Amino acid sequence: MTEHVSGAAPAKRRSDLATRAAAGLVMIAVALAALYAGGRAFWLLVTAAALLMMAEWAGLVRATRARVTFAILTAAVVMLLAGSASGHFSFLVTQSHTTWEVAGWCVVAAAALALVTFSPKLGAGLLYVAWPSVALLYLREQPQGLGLALWTLAVVWSTDIGAYFAGRSIGGPKLSPAISPNKTWSGLCGGVVAALIVGYGIALVLALARPLLLLGAPMAVLAQMGDLFESWLKRRAKVKDSGRILPGHGGVLDRLDGLVPVAVAVALLLMLDVL
């Protein structure tokens, strides 16, 4: 996520905003369609995003082409196992497994990737990609899965949108200038307010667990922390965006950085019977 608060010509800023908005609407429409369909359609979208994220992570840590390829293949195997354990496929896993077990497979795969490639950073990247992917699949498979996954996605989207417009219109002190000089405290506040309102509304309308009525605010903070972490990765790699695949948004990591910790957190709260 990027906040633009100054420095661009008005015409260029309007053009950038139009591009961001158009691409954002297309991405949201695709995500909602796959989310509604569930099953293999949702697994396919999550898997595609996971593989692209793995490729971009490998690029940020400057892995060789061979290591990038191996990392993507490993991520693909993990997602196949996750899909099979969820019942979407039967040729890899013939019995259902708990999400805890699938999360454990991710750890084993990450350790194997780190050992084979001699790159702990690639192993860490696999966990960064696999855990939120498994978390989203887990949420969608629950009795109220459509609502839970929608709440999770919508809270992150509203955080991004609220932060963007609040940061751009209000400006003010920087949130973390050493990591991401364009992010502001006003943007954080705008994102928190937007996520609280949207999260409350969705939880109320869909009769979700009561804690979700107010959890939008802390999840917005968590989303911003995920955003800052990815900004830190890009700063270390000396790049502006993690990729160029999404017009006006950069890479897939740029778009999903806030979703990574939020999806894991919501799934964990559900697994621990907090929700």
Side-chain angles (χ1 to χ4, degrees):
M1 182 189 69
T2 305
E3 295 173 21
H4 297 282
V5 295
S6 63
K12 185 177 186 302
R13 289 170 63 182
R14 285 194 296 270
S15 175
D16 290 344
L17 180 58
T19 301
R20 279 180 65 91
L25 288 174
V26 170
M27 287 186 286
I28 289 174
V30 171
L32 289 177
L35 178 62
Y36 180 78
R40 291 187 182 182
F42 190 58
W43 173 87
L44 184 61
L45 178 64
V46 172
T47 297
L51 298 186
L52 289 169
M53 290 170 69
M54 189 71 249
E56 291 179 0
W57 177 287
L60 289 178
V61 300
R62 303 188 184 284
T64 63
R65 181 172 298 182
R67 288 176 176 175
V68 171
T69 301
F70 193 78
I72 294 172
L73 290 175
T74 306
V77 170
V78 169
M79 294 308 299
L80 281 171
L81 289 171
S84 296
S86 302
H88 302 320
F89 309 97
S90 60
F91 55 89
L92 287 176
V93 178
T94 57
Q95 62 183 33
S96 61
H97 288 265
T98 68
T99 302
W100 292 111
E101 290 175 315
V102 178
W105 295 348
C106 296
V107 174
V108 173
L113 177 61
L115 288 172
V116 171
T117 61
F118 301 100
S119 175
K121 292 179 180 178
L122 281 181
L126 183 60
L127 287 181
Y128 179 88
V129 167
W131 274 349
S133 300
V134 170
L136 281 175
L137 295 175
Y138 168 73
L139 291 175
R140 183 60 181 89
E141 291 157 10
Q142 302 309 301
Q144 285 189 298
L146 179 59
L148 287 169
L150 176 61
W151 186 93
T152 303
L153 293 171
V155 162
V156 176
W157 292 339
S158 58
T159 299
D160 285 354
I161 294 170
Y164 178 85
F165 284 105
R168 181 175 174 177
S169 60
I170 300 173
K174 305 300 183 181
L175 179 61
S176 182
I179 297 176
S180 184
N182 289 328
K183 291 180 176 62
T184 60
W185 282 99
S186 62
L188 173 62
C189 293
V192 169
V193 171
L196 178 61
I197 294 172
V198 171
Y200 185 94
I202 292 177
L204 184 65
V205 170
L206 299 183
L208 299 177
R210 291 185 63 83
L212 293 177
L213 291 170
L214 300 177
L215 272 178
M219 290 301 168
V221 175
L222 197 58
Q224 290 282 277
M225 292 173 63
D227 194 315
L228 285 173
F229 174 71
E230 199 251 352
S231 294
W232 174 76
L233 288 176
K234 291 187 294 185
R235 183 164 289 272
R236 285 177 58 89
K238 295 181 172 57
V239 296
K240 181 179 181 294
D241 298 314
S242 64
R244 300 180 181 178
I245 193 172
L246 303 175
H249 294 267
V252 180
L253 280 177
D254 295 320
R255 187 69 272 140
L256 299 181
D257 49 13
L259 182 61
V260 169
V262 173
V264 173
V266 175
L268 186 59
L269 289 175
L270 187 62
M271 293 165 67
L272 295 176
D273 293 325
V274 176
L275 300 180

